[in-house]
Amino acid sequence: MRNRLLAALAVLLVTGCSGAVAQDTERSGGSGPFTVVIGRDTTGYLQPLIDRWNQAHPAERATLLQLPEAADEQRAQMVANLQAKSDRYDVLGLDVVWTAEFADAGWIVPLERGMFPLDRFLPSVADTAVYRGKLWAVPYTSNAGLLYYRKDLLAKEGFKPPTTWAELREQARALHEKYGIGGYAGQFLAYEGLTVNFTEAVQSAGGQILDRDGTRVALDVAKTKTALDFLVGGLREGWIPRESLSYKEEESRLAFQEGRLAFARNWPHAYGPATTSPIARKFGVTRLPGLNGPGSSSLGGVNLALSAYSKRQKSAVEFIRYFTSLENERRVLVDGSFPPVWAELYDDPGLIKRFPYLPVLKESLFSARPRPTSANYNQLSLVIASAVSNALTPPFDETSDDVVTSMKGQLNEIIRAQ
């Protein structure tokens, strides 16, 4: 009797293990229709790329699911889905700073490096997809902040594009007063965009907030205060309009292309729409200015990752290979005005003729700094955005010293809790 029970138990164990293996095999090798989840496409270029895949793969059709424009809202919807272990999402379009968090949580799966031509990508961009020695996603678009400016107004006043904050302040004030338009704006609503804008200001003042690994607060109080004072000063003096406190990327893009701003910080995707706007042929782009010279952008972009709960992982991986191919990356630039990840496209004479800002963008990308690789990045970002938003909001009751000191303390608490 005892031997029969042991034999039966052994059969059950083998059957159970075989079922688990079969399930894992089905998931990693599954093919068929799948869903691509990514932030809202504001230029209308994504669906045609999806359609090209669907025409060639009728049995593995991709459905595009667009999430809100703001990165915070995108992340919230993805996290809710992944925490529920739902298989609704297959390919995830992740902000480059989410790699560590999603990998640590087990929401995405590592990919085989040899399947992707990473050596032909921009090195700093490829690094954003690697965490603890493994490739967790594939770069799809990159991003670096640029300064958009009204070259027609600068020419009338005899100004050259500003390279320092002092020059930007002088020109923004003058154009604001003479033409009755906003001088300068970025993305100053209290969300991830404000964290990016402030991080760029700190870097452009010669400082940093966290070390590269995101394991130590490296905030220099004096340099951080200088960055904050620059932004607060603009709002106090009026050359940064108060309505910019409600701006995300789209609001600031529209304000500039409708002629309501002399200068605007935005991503390269804002270039294409501006060429068919009321200020077409009246604007230019340059690198972000800094305290004593050209500034430093935060490295942005989207990486494509594979949901750990996808049942169509084989099709999804092939789609990621297709979507990040050289041919498609060219379309990402030509049709969407988004910076591609293939390095060679930035030196293509035909593309440079069509997109004169490419050399400037290449410089910005090489001087850009990645945001910290931290599994707690979202918490860190919330602290930064909240503190800076309070400082920028009238009646400006808090001093820069108090804001920066409090911010540093909160960031240290989060890092210590890791």
Side-chain angles (χ1 to χ4, degrees), residues 282-330:
K282 296 180 181 179
F283 75 97
V285 295
T286 189
R287 288 180 60 182
L288 296 175
L291 179 61
N292 299 310
S296 170
S297 170
S298 290
L299 187 64
V302 173
N303 294 339
L304 299 181
L306 184 58
S307 168
Y309 309 109
S310 168
K311 293 181 179 178
R312 301 288 184 264
Q313 291 190 4
K314 183 178 180 180
S315 296
V317 168
E318 287 304 312
F319 175 84
I320 292 174
R321 293 181 67 187
Y322 155 80
F323 229 48
T324 57
S325 67
L326 179 60
E327 180 185 2
N328 253 20
E329 286 291 308
R330 184 181 293 271

mmCIF file of all heavy atoms in Angstrom, residues 282-330:
data_model
loop_
_atom_site.group_PDB
_atom_site.id
_atom_site.type_symbol
_atom_site.label_atom_id
_atom_site.label_comp_id
_atom_site.label_asym_id
_atom_site.label_seq_id
_atom_site.Cartn_x
_atom_site.Cartn_y
_atom_site.Cartn_z
ATOM 1 N N LYS A 282 9.490 80.193 -39.052
ATOM 2 C CA LYS A 282 9.818 81.318 -38.179
ATOM 3 C C LYS A 282 10.495 80.867 -36.885
ATOM 4 O O LYS A 282 10.718 81.662 -35.990
ATOM 5 C CB LYS A 282 8.551 82.102 -37.810
ATOM 6 C CG LYS A 282 7.844 82.763 -38.971
ATOM 7 C CD LYS A 282 6.604 83.503 -38.496
ATOM 8 C CE LYS A 282 5.872 84.164 -39.655
ATOM 9 N NZ LYS A 282 4.640 84.872 -39.196
ATOM 10 N N PHE A 283 10.809 79.566 -36.779
ATOM 11 C CA PHE A 283 11.382 79.069 -35.528
ATOM 12 C C PHE A 283 12.639 78.255 -35.804
ATOM 13 O O PHE A 283 12.891 77.818 -36.927
ATOM 14 C CB PHE A 283 10.358 78.223 -34.764
ATOM 15 C CG PHE A 283 10.141 76.847 -35.340
ATOM 16 C CD1 PHE A 283 10.816 75.747 -34.820
ATOM 17 C CD2 PHE A 283 9.274 76.650 -36.409
ATOM 18 C CE1 PHE A 283 10.627 74.476 -35.344
ATOM 19 C CE2 PHE A 283 9.076 75.383 -36.951
ATOM 20 C CZ PHE A 283 9.749 74.294 -36.414
ATOM 21 N N GLY A 284 13.423 78.071 -34.773
ATOM 22 C CA GLY A 284 14.612 77.238 -34.836
ATOM 23 C C GLY A 284 14.748 76.462 -33.538
ATOM 24 O O GLY A 284 13.973 76.653 -32.597
ATOM 25 N N VAL A 285 15.727 75.548 -33.496
ATOM 26 C CA VAL A 285 15.982 74.788 -32.271
ATOM 27 C C VAL A 285 17.474 74.809 -31.970
ATOM 28 O O VAL A 285 18.309 74.906 -32.875
ATOM 29 C CB VAL A 285 15.505 73.320 -32.382
ATOM 30 C CG1 VAL A 285 14.009 73.239 -32.519
ATOM 31 C CG2 VAL A 285 16.179 72.620 -33.547
ATOM 32 N N THR A 286 17.777 74.751 -30.697
ATOM 33 C CA THR A 286 19.164 74.695 -30.264
ATOM 34 C C THR A 286 19.235 73.900 -28.967
ATOM 35 O O THR A 286 18.202 73.447 -28.449
ATOM 36 C CB THR A 286 19.725 76.122 -30.064
ATOM 37 O OG1 THR A 286 21.132 76.054 -29.834
ATOM 38 C CG2 THR A 286 19.053 76.834 -28.892
ATOM 39 N N ARG A 287 20.438 73.724 -28.455
ATOM 40 C CA ARG A 287 20.594 73.002 -27.185
ATOM 41 C C ARG A 287 20.036 73.830 -26.041
ATOM 42 O O ARG A 287 19.950 75.060 -26.117
ATOM 43 C CB ARG A 287 22.067 72.691 -26.929
ATOM 44 C CG ARG A 287 22.623 71.612 -27.836
ATOM 45 C CD ARG A 287 24.092 71.356 -27.540
ATOM 46 N NE ARG A 287 24.315 70.925 -26.165
ATOM 47 C CZ ARG A 287 25.511 70.676 -25.635
ATOM 48 N NH1 ARG A 287 26.596 70.812 -26.390
ATOM 49 N NH2 ARG A 287 25.627 70.286 -24.390
ATOM 50 N N LEU A 288 19.656 73.172 -24.987
ATOM 51 C CA LEU A 288 19.208 73.876 -23.792
ATOM 52 C C LEU A 288 20.351 74.730 -23.244
ATOM 53 O O LEU A 288 21.494 74.286 -23.212
ATOM 54 C CB LEU A 288 18.765 72.881 -22.719
ATOM 55 C CG LEU A 288 17.563 71.996 -23.037
ATOM 56 C CD1 LEU A 288 17.345 71.000 -21.902
ATOM 57 C CD2 LEU A 288 16.315 72.841 -23.254
ATOM 58 N N PRO A 289 20.049 75.949 -22.805
ATOM 59 C CA PRO A 289 21.095 76.765 -22.185
ATOM 60 C C PRO A 289 21.341 76.320 -20.753
ATOM 61 O O PRO A 289 20.503 75.649 -20.141
ATOM 62 C CB PRO A 289 20.504 78.179 -22.237
ATOM 63 C CG PRO A 289 19.029 77.964 -22.210
ATOM 64 C CD PRO A 289 18.777 76.665 -22.941
ATOM 65 N N GLY A 290 22.497 76.710 -20.214
ATOM 66 C CA GLY A 290 22.834 76.373 -18.841
ATOM 67 C C GLY A 290 23.340 77.590 -18.101
ATOM 68 O O GLY A 290 23.302 78.711 -18.609
ATOM 69 N N LEU A 291 23.848 77.364 -16.917
ATOM 70 C CA LEU A 291 24.310 78.472 -16.080
ATOM 71 C C LEU A 291 25.435 79.242 -16.746
ATOM 72 O O LEU A 291 25.396 80.477 -16.824
ATOM 73 C CB LEU A 291 24.762 77.937 -14.724
ATOM 74 C CG LEU A 291 25.289 78.975 -13.732
ATOM 75 C CD1 LEU A 291 24.222 80.004 -13.385
ATOM 76 C CD2 LEU A 291 25.790 78.277 -12.455
ATOM 77 N N ASN A 292 26.424 78.533 -17.256
ATOM 78 C CA ASN A 292 27.605 79.187 -17.842
ATOM 79 C C ASN A 292 27.861 78.799 -19.292
ATOM 80 O O ASN A 292 28.926 79.084 -19.828
ATOM 81 C CB ASN A 292 28.841 78.858 -16.996
ATOM 82 C CG ASN A 292 28.710 79.353 -15.568
ATOM 83 O OD1 ASN A 292 28.379 80.509 -15.337
ATOM 84 N ND2 ASN A 292 28.955 78.465 -14.608
ATOM 85 N N GLY A 293 26.921 78.141 -19.915
ATOM 86 C CA GLY A 293 27.095 77.673 -21.288
ATOM 87 C C GLY A 293 26.016 76.660 -21.598
ATOM 88 O O GLY A 293 25.036 76.539 -20.843
ATOM 89 N N PRO A 294 26.134 75.932 -22.716
ATOM 90 C CA PRO A 294 25.111 74.941 -23.058
ATOM 91 C C PRO A 294 24.808 74.003 -21.903
ATOM 92 O O PRO A 294 25.711 73.572 -21.170
ATOM 93 C CB PRO A 294 25.742 74.196 -24.239
ATOM 94 C CG PRO A 294 26.647 75.204 -24.869
ATOM 95 C CD PRO A 294 27.212 75.992 -23.727
ATOM 96 N N GLY A 295 23.523 73.709 -21.717
ATOM 97 C CA GLY A 295 23.102 72.880 -20.601
ATOM 98 C C GLY A 295 23.083 71.410 -20.945
ATOM 99 O O GLY A 295 23.595 70.968 -21.971
ATOM 100 N N SER A 296 22.461 70.631 -20.061
ATOM 101 C CA SER A 296 22.411 69.176 -20.207
ATOM 102 C C SER A 296 20.979 68.707 -20.071
ATOM 103 O O SER A 296 20.292 69.041 -19.107
ATOM 104 C CB SER A 296 23.281 68.508 -19.134
ATOM 105 O OG SER A 296 23.082 67.108 -19.113
ATOM 106 N N SER A 297 20.543 67.922 -21.052
ATOM 107 C CA SER A 297 19.186 67.385 -21.016
ATOM 108 C C SER A 297 19.137 66.087 -20.219
ATOM 109 O O SER A 297 20.143 65.401 -20.039
ATOM 110 C CB SER A 297 18.703 67.117 -22.442
ATOM 111 O OG SER A 297 17.494 66.385 -22.439
ATOM 112 N N SER A 298 17.933 65.751 -19.792
ATOM 113 C CA SER A 298 17.677 64.402 -19.287
ATOM 114 C C SER A 298 17.460 63.498 -20.493
ATOM 115 O O SER A 298 16.844 63.897 -21.475
ATOM 116 C CB SER A 298 16.425 64.376 -18.407
ATOM 117 O OG SER A 298 16.645 65.044 -17.194
ATOM 118 N N LEU A 299 17.976 62.292 -20.414
ATOM 119 C CA LEU A 299 17.801 61.334 -21.496
ATOM 120 C C LEU A 299 16.424 60.699 -21.372
ATOM 121 O O LEU A 299 16.097 60.093 -20.357
ATOM 122 C CB LEU A 299 18.887 60.259 -21.435
ATOM 123 C CG LEU A 299 18.947 59.277 -22.602
ATOM 124 C CD1 LEU A 299 19.299 60.005 -23.899
ATOM 125 C CD2 LEU A 299 19.970 58.188 -22.324
ATOM 126 N N GLY A 300 15.618 60.877 -22.406
ATOM 127 C CA GLY A 300 14.274 60.307 -22.392
ATOM 128 C C GLY A 300 14.137 59.215 -23.424
ATOM 129 O O GLY A 300 15.114 58.741 -23.995
ATOM 130 N N GLY A 301 12.908 58.841 -23.687
ATOM 131 C CA GLY A 301 12.665 57.837 -24.707
ATOM 132 C C GLY A 301 11.777 56.714 -24.224
ATOM 133 O O GLY A 301 11.357 56.667 -23.069
ATOM 134 N N VAL A 302 11.511 55.795 -25.143
ATOM 135 C CA VAL A 302 10.641 54.645 -24.877
ATOM 136 C C VAL A 302 11.369 53.364 -25.249
ATOM 137 O O VAL A 302 11.970 53.270 -26.322
ATOM 138 C CB VAL A 302 9.332 54.751 -25.682
ATOM 139 C CG1 VAL A 302 8.503 53.479 -25.553
ATOM 140 C CG2 VAL A 302 8.513 55.952 -25.227
ATOM 141 N N ASN A 303 11.320 52.400 -24.354
ATOM 142 C CA ASN A 303 11.849 51.063 -24.616
ATOM 143 C C ASN A 303 10.688 50.079 -24.705
ATOM 144 O O ASN A 303 9.688 50.231 -23.996
ATOM 145 C CB ASN A 303 12.802 50.622 -23.508
ATOM 146 C CG ASN A 303 14.059 51.468 -23.444
ATOM 147 O OD1 ASN A 303 14.428 52.122 -24.413
ATOM 148 N ND2 ASN A 303 14.724 51.461 -22.301
ATOM 149 N N LEU A 304 10.823 49.074 -25.539
ATOM 150 C CA LEU A 304 9.784 48.062 -25.685
ATOM 151 C C LEU A 304 10.149 46.828 -24.872
ATOM 152 O O LEU A 304 11.208 46.242 -25.060
ATOM 153 C CB LEU A 304 9.600 47.688 -27.154
ATOM 154 C CG LEU A 304 9.181 48.823 -28.088
ATOM 155 C CD1 LEU A 304 9.013 48.296 -29.512
ATOM 156 C CD2 LEU A 304 7.904 49.504 -27.608
ATOM 157 N N ALA A 305 9.250 46.446 -23.978
ATOM 158 C CA ALA A 305 9.483 45.296 -23.105
ATOM 159 C C ALA A 305 8.371 44.269 -23.295
ATOM 160 O O ALA A 305 7.320 44.557 -23.879
ATOM 161 C CB ALA A 305 9.557 45.738 -21.652
ATOM 162 N N LEU A 306 8.608 43.095 -22.773
ATOM 163 C CA LEU A 306 7.681 41.971 -22.923
ATOM 164 C C LEU A 306 7.044 41.660 -21.571
ATOM 165 O O LEU A 306 7.739 41.373 -20.589
ATOM 166 C CB LEU A 306 8.451 40.754 -23.430
ATOM 167 C CG LEU A 306 7.679 39.484 -23.743
ATOM 168 C CD1 LEU A 306 6.617 39.747 -24.794
ATOM 169 C CD2 LEU A 306 8.648 38.410 -24.224
ATOM 170 N N SER A 307 5.734 41.731 -21.508
ATOM 171 C CA SER A 307 5.026 41.427 -20.269
ATOM 172 C C SER A 307 5.275 39.985 -19.841
ATOM 173 O O SER A 307 5.211 39.059 -20.648
ATOM 174 C CB SER A 307 3.528 41.651 -20.441
ATOM 175 O OG SER A 307 2.809 41.108 -19.341
ATOM 176 N N ALA A 308 5.549 39.816 -18.566
ATOM 177 C CA ALA A 308 5.771 38.467 -18.029
ATOM 178 C C ALA A 308 4.502 37.625 -18.086
ATOM 179 O O ALA A 308 4.570 36.393 -17.981
ATOM 180 C CB ALA A 308 6.263 38.568 -16.585
ATOM 181 N N TYR A 309 3.341 38.267 -18.266
ATOM 182 C CA TYR A 309 2.078 37.538 -18.253
ATOM 183 C C TYR A 309 1.495 37.364 -19.659
ATOM 184 O O TYR A 309 0.393 36.835 -19.817
ATOM 185 C CB TYR A 309 1.073 38.262 -17.351
ATOM 186 C CG TYR A 309 1.677 38.545 -16.001
ATOM 187 C CD1 TYR A 309 2.005 39.843 -15.625
ATOM 188 C CD2 TYR A 309 1.989 37.507 -15.123
ATOM 189 C CE1 TYR A 309 2.598 40.102 -14.401
ATOM 190 C CE2 TYR A 309 2.591 37.750 -13.895
ATOM 191 C CZ TYR A 309 2.895 39.059 -13.542
ATOM 192 O OH TYR A 309 3.495 39.302 -12.331
ATOM 193 N N SER A 310 2.250 37.781 -20.666
ATOM 194 C CA SER A 310 1.802 37.607 -22.050
ATOM 195 C C SER A 310 1.753 36.127 -22.418
ATOM 196 O O SER A 310 2.652 35.363 -22.072
ATOM 197 C CB SER A 310 2.754 38.342 -22.998
ATOM 198 O OG SER A 310 2.515 37.965 -24.337
ATOM 199 N N LYS A 311 0.720 35.722 -23.152
ATOM 200 C CA LYS A 311 0.619 34.363 -23.668
ATOM 201 C C LYS A 311 1.011 34.292 -25.140
ATOM 202 O O LYS A 311 0.849 33.254 -25.787
ATOM 203 C CB LYS A 311 -0.808 33.845 -23.485
ATOM 204 C CG LYS A 311 -1.197 33.661 -22.017
ATOM 205 C CD LYS A 311 -2.613 33.119 -21.892
ATOM 206 C CE LYS A 311 -2.988 32.909 -20.426
ATOM 207 N NZ LYS A 311 -4.389 32.421 -20.280
ATOM 208 N N ARG A 312 1.506 35.410 -25.660
ATOM 209 C CA ARG A 312 1.901 35.481 -27.065
ATOM 210 C C ARG A 312 3.323 36.024 -27.176
ATOM 211 O O ARG A 312 3.618 36.889 -27.982
ATOM 212 C CB ARG A 312 0.919 36.386 -27.829
ATOM 213 C CG ARG A 312 -0.532 35.937 -27.791
ATOM 214 C CD ARG A 312 -0.746 34.700 -28.653
ATOM 215 N NE ARG A 312 -2.155 34.310 -28.711
ATOM 216 C CZ ARG A 312 -2.726 33.409 -27.950
ATOM 217 N NH1 ARG A 312 -2.006 32.780 -27.030
ATOM 218 N NH2 ARG A 312 -3.996 33.102 -28.073
ATOM 219 N N GLN A 313 4.207 35.490 -26.357
ATOM 220 C CA GLN A 313 5.540 36.064 -26.257
ATOM 221 C C GLN A 313 6.374 35.880 -27.524
ATOM 222 O O GLN A 313 7.172 36.742 -27.873
ATOM 223 C CB GLN A 313 6.279 35.492 -25.044
ATOM 224 C CG GLN A 313 5.688 35.974 -23.724
ATOM 225 C CD GLN A 313 6.537 35.610 -22.528
ATOM 226 O OE1 GLN A 313 7.617 35.055 -22.664
ATOM 227 N NE2 GLN A 313 6.053 35.939 -21.334
ATOM 228 N N LYS A 314 6.186 34.787 -28.220
ATOM 229 C CA LYS A 314 6.960 34.578 -29.448
ATOM 230 C C LYS A 314 6.607 35.635 -30.490
ATOM 231 O O LYS A 314 7.488 36.265 -31.104
ATOM 232 C CB LYS A 314 6.699 33.179 -30.009
ATOM 233 C CG LYS A 314 7.527 32.859 -31.257
ATOM 234 C CD LYS A 314 7.274 31.437 -31.737
ATOM 235 C CE LYS A 314 8.099 31.135 -32.987
ATOM 236 N NZ LYS A 314 7.865 29.752 -33.485
ATOM 237 N N SER A 315 5.316 35.863 -30.702
ATOM 238 C CA SER A 315 4.880 36.889 -31.653
ATOM 239 C C SER A 315 5.304 38.270 -31.179
ATOM 240 O O SER A 315 5.730 39.113 -31.984
ATOM 241 C CB SER A 315 3.362 36.844 -31.819
ATOM 242 O OG SER A 315 2.941 35.624 -32.384
ATOM 243 N N ALA A 316 5.204 38.499 -29.880
ATOM 244 C CA ALA A 316 5.541 39.816 -29.326
ATOM 245 C C ALA A 316 7.023 40.141 -29.526
ATOM 246 O O ALA A 316 7.372 41.274 -29.873
ATOM 247 C CB ALA A 316 5.172 39.870 -27.848
ATOM 248 N N VAL A 317 7.894 39.160 -29.318
ATOM 249 C CA VAL A 317 9.331 39.386 -29.496
ATOM 250 C C VAL A 317 9.645 39.686 -30.961
ATOM 251 O O VAL A 317 10.440 40.573 -31.277
ATOM 252 C CB VAL A 317 10.144 38.181 -28.999
ATOM 253 C CG1 VAL A 317 11.599 38.284 -29.438
ATOM 254 C CG2 VAL A 317 10.080 38.091 -27.483
ATOM 255 N N GLU A 318 9.015 38.929 -31.870
ATOM 256 C CA GLU A 318 9.242 39.196 -33.297
ATOM 257 C C GLU A 318 8.764 40.589 -33.676
ATOM 258 O O GLU A 318 9.371 41.269 -34.503
ATOM 259 C CB GLU A 318 8.539 38.139 -34.146
ATOM 260 C CG GLU A 318 9.209 36.778 -34.113
ATOM 261 C CD GLU A 318 10.678 36.852 -34.526
ATOM 262 O OE1 GLU A 318 10.980 37.491 -35.559
ATOM 263 O OE2 GLU A 318 11.527 36.280 -33.810
ATOM 264 N N PHE A 319 7.670 41.013 -33.057
ATOM 265 C CA PHE A 319 7.173 42.362 -33.315
ATOM 266 C C PHE A 319 8.168 43.413 -32.821
ATOM 267 O O PHE A 319 8.410 44.419 -33.499
ATOM 268 C CB PHE A 319 5.822 42.567 -32.635
ATOM 269 C CG PHE A 319 5.296 43.972 -32.762
ATOM 270 C CD1 PHE A 319 4.602 44.365 -33.896
ATOM 271 C CD2 PHE A 319 5.514 44.897 -31.758
ATOM 272 C CE1 PHE A 319 4.128 45.659 -34.029
ATOM 273 C CE2 PHE A 319 5.047 46.200 -31.880
ATOM 274 C CZ PHE A 319 4.350 46.583 -33.017
ATOM 275 N N ILE A 320 8.756 43.200 -31.648
ATOM 276 C CA ILE A 320 9.752 44.141 -31.115
ATOM 277 C C ILE A 320 10.934 44.230 -32.070
ATOM 278 O O ILE A 320 11.462 45.323 -32.322
ATOM 279 C CB ILE A 320 10.196 43.716 -29.703
ATOM 280 C CG1 ILE A 320 9.044 43.889 -28.707
ATOM 281 C CG2 ILE A 320 11.411 44.527 -29.252
ATOM 282 C CD1 ILE A 320 9.336 43.374 -27.313
ATOM 283 N N ARG A 321 11.360 43.095 -32.633
ATOM 284 C CA ARG A 321 12.450 43.116 -33.612
ATOM 285 C C ARG A 321 12.057 43.940 -34.836
ATOM 286 O O ARG A 321 12.848 44.724 -35.347
ATOM 287 C CB ARG A 321 12.816 41.689 -34.023
ATOM 288 C CG ARG A 321 13.433 40.851 -32.909
ATOM 289 C CD ARG A 321 13.796 39.476 -33.397
ATOM 290 N NE ARG A 321 14.902 39.535 -34.374
ATOM 291 C CZ ARG A 321 15.336 38.504 -35.071
ATOM 292 N NH1 ARG A 321 14.745 37.323 -34.933
ATOM 293 N NH2 ARG A 321 16.332 38.629 -35.915
ATOM 294 N N TYR A 322 10.838 43.751 -35.302
ATOM 295 C CA TYR A 322 10.344 44.499 -36.455
ATOM 296 C C TYR A 322 10.267 45.994 -36.146
ATOM 297 O O TYR A 322 10.718 46.830 -36.931
ATOM 298 C CB TYR A 322 8.963 43.973 -36.844
ATOM 299 C CG TYR A 322 8.087 44.980 -37.579
ATOM 300 C CD1 TYR A 322 8.251 45.225 -38.942
ATOM 301 C CD2 TYR A 322 7.082 45.668 -36.897
ATOM 302 C CE1 TYR A 322 7.445 46.143 -39.609
ATOM 303 C CE2 TYR A 322 6.278 46.593 -37.557
ATOM 304 C CZ TYR A 322 6.465 46.826 -38.906
ATOM 305 O OH TYR A 322 5.664 47.742 -39.565
ATOM 306 N N PHE A 323 9.699 46.309 -34.998
ATOM 307 C CA PHE A 323 9.436 47.709 -34.663
ATOM 308 C C PHE A 323 10.707 48.506 -34.409
ATOM 309 O O PHE A 323 10.706 49.734 -34.525
ATOM 310 C CB PHE A 323 8.517 47.764 -33.437
ATOM 311 C CG PHE A 323 7.343 48.693 -33.619
ATOM 312 C CD1 PHE A 323 6.574 48.640 -34.769
ATOM 313 C CD2 PHE A 323 6.978 49.595 -32.633
ATOM 314 C CE1 PHE A 323 5.478 49.483 -34.938
ATOM 315 C CE2 PHE A 323 5.891 50.437 -32.795
ATOM 316 C CZ PHE A 323 5.136 50.379 -33.959
ATOM 317 N N THR A 324 11.792 47.825 -34.040
ATOM 318 C CA THR A 324 13.051 48.525 -33.755
ATOM 319 C C THR A 324 14.070 48.346 -34.875
ATOM 320 O O THR A 324 15.248 48.665 -34.699
ATOM 321 C CB THR A 324 13.657 48.033 -32.431
ATOM 322 O OG1 THR A 324 13.847 46.610 -32.493
ATOM 323 C CG2 THR A 324 12.751 48.357 -31.252
ATOM 324 N N SER A 325 13.632 47.856 -36.034
ATOM 325 C CA SER A 325 14.537 47.670 -37.170
ATOM 326 C C SER A 325 14.954 49.015 -37.758
ATOM 327 O O SER A 325 14.314 50.049 -37.522
ATOM 328 C CB SER A 325 13.858 46.828 -38.241
ATOM 329 O OG SER A 325 12.765 47.552 -38.810
ATOM 330 N N LEU A 326 16.022 49.012 -38.541
ATOM 331 C CA LEU A 326 16.528 50.240 -39.150
ATOM 332 C C LEU A 326 15.472 50.893 -40.032
ATOM 333 O O LEU A 326 15.278 52.119 -39.990
ATOM 334 C CB LEU A 326 17.791 49.947 -39.960
ATOM 335 C CG LEU A 326 18.428 51.145 -40.674
ATOM 336 C CD1 LEU A 326 18.850 52.221 -39.690
ATOM 337 C CD2 LEU A 326 19.633 50.682 -41.504
ATOM 338 N N GLU A 327 14.769 50.099 -40.824
ATOM 339 C CA GLU A 327 13.745 50.641 -41.711
ATOM 340 C C GLU A 327 12.647 51.345 -40.926
ATOM 341 O O GLU A 327 12.198 52.447 -41.274
ATOM 342 C CB GLU A 327 13.142 49.516 -42.560
ATOM 343 C CG GLU A 327 12.059 49.986 -43.526
ATOM 344 C CD GLU A 327 11.400 48.841 -44.274
ATOM 345 O OE1 GLU A 327 11.760 47.670 -44.007
ATOM 346 O OE2 GLU A 327 10.529 49.118 -45.122
ATOM 347 N N ASN A 328 12.198 50.713 -39.852
ATOM 348 C CA ASN A 328 11.139 51.317 -39.046
ATOM 349 C C ASN A 328 11.627 52.532 -38.277
ATOM 350 O O ASN A 328 10.890 53.505 -38.093
ATOM 351 C CB ASN A 328 10.581 50.282 -38.072
ATOM 352 C CG ASN A 328 9.212 49.808 -38.491
ATOM 353 O OD1 ASN A 328 8.838 49.952 -39.654
ATOM 354 N ND2 ASN A 328 8.471 49.262 -37.566
ATOM 355 N N GLU A 329 12.857 52.472 -37.795
ATOM 356 C CA GLU A 329 13.399 53.607 -37.049
ATOM 357 C C GLU A 329 13.485 54.852 -37.931
ATOM 358 O O GLU A 329 13.318 55.972 -37.456
ATOM 359 C CB GLU A 329 14.771 53.252 -36.489
ATOM 360 C CG GLU A 329 14.723 52.298 -35.315
ATOM 361 C CD GLU A 329 14.133 52.943 -34.070
ATOM 362 O OE1 GLU A 329 14.596 54.017 -33.676
ATOM 363 O OE2 GLU A 329 13.191 52.362 -33.498
ATOM 364 N N ARG A 330 13.741 54.648 -39.211
ATOM 365 C CA ARG A 330 13.723 55.781 -40.142
ATOM 366 C C ARG A 330 12.314 56.382 -40.201
ATOM 367 O O ARG A 330 12.146 57.600 -40.227
ATOM 368 C CB ARG A 330 14.181 55.329 -41.526
ATOM 369 C CG ARG A 330 14.302 56.456 -42.553
ATOM 370 C CD ARG A 330 14.742 55.894 -43.893
ATOM 371 N NE ARG A 330 16.112 55.378 -43.819
ATOM 372 C CZ ARG A 330 17.191 56.111 -44.047
ATOM 373 N NH1 ARG A 330 17.063 57.396 -44.358
ATOM 374 N NH2 ARG A 330 18.388 55.577 -43.962
#
